[in-house]
Amino acid sequence: MIQLKSLVNCIDNSGAAIVECVQVLRKKAAASIGDRIIVVVQKQRAFGADSGSVSVSAANKVRRGDIRHAVVVRTAKKIQRPDGSVVRFDDNACVLINKSGEPIGTRLNGVVGAELRKTQWSKILSMAPQHV
């Protein structure tokens, strides 16, 4: 359940480490796996901090304070599946996307929920190392 002011981990290589949800799109309730949200980048990931600041800014596609769209891929709230099983993740995580729905990053670090299948986020599913 992601709602206003929720801090969410960003699991792609776009350059954001932690983002804050500012709006849930197309829903009145809290966001769950597969929902689209609007986020603000709170913490930036440091790529190659020992090699100099020029490569760090070139590797990061987003900066602190940027407002972006994202898709929720993991939630700590339990989800009941149609087959009766219940799944729960350790953290809340998202993947940054552009306005047309394409992921900003090129790789994902960590598993994503299989609920993304029914919401047609096949590009994110193909980039993920595993879906549970």
Side-chain angles (χ1 to χ4, degrees), residues 42-113:
Q42 292 293 326
K43 196 175 200 183
Q44 203 169 329
R45 200 177 303 275
F47 288 117
D50 55 349
S51 62
S53 63
V54 175
S55 65
V56 171
S57 64
N60 290 343
K61 297 180 182 93
V62 296
R63 303 188 63 154
R64 185 177 181 280
D66 284 356
I67 299 172
R68 299 288 178 159
H69 286 232
V71 176
V72 178
V73 294
R74 289 196 305 250
T75 58
K77 176 75 174 160
K78 293 179 183 176
I79 297 171
Q80 177 114 20
R81 293 194 170 153
D83 64 352
S85 62
V86 177
V87 66
R88 181 177 99 69
F89 296 99
D90 290 338
D91 64 343
N92 298 318
C94 70
V95 173
L96 296 183
I97 58 172
N98 58 19
K99 297 232 178 180
S100 63
E102 298 293 320
I104 294 176
T106 56
R107 283 186 286 142
L108 296 184
N109 306 321
V111 301
V112 299

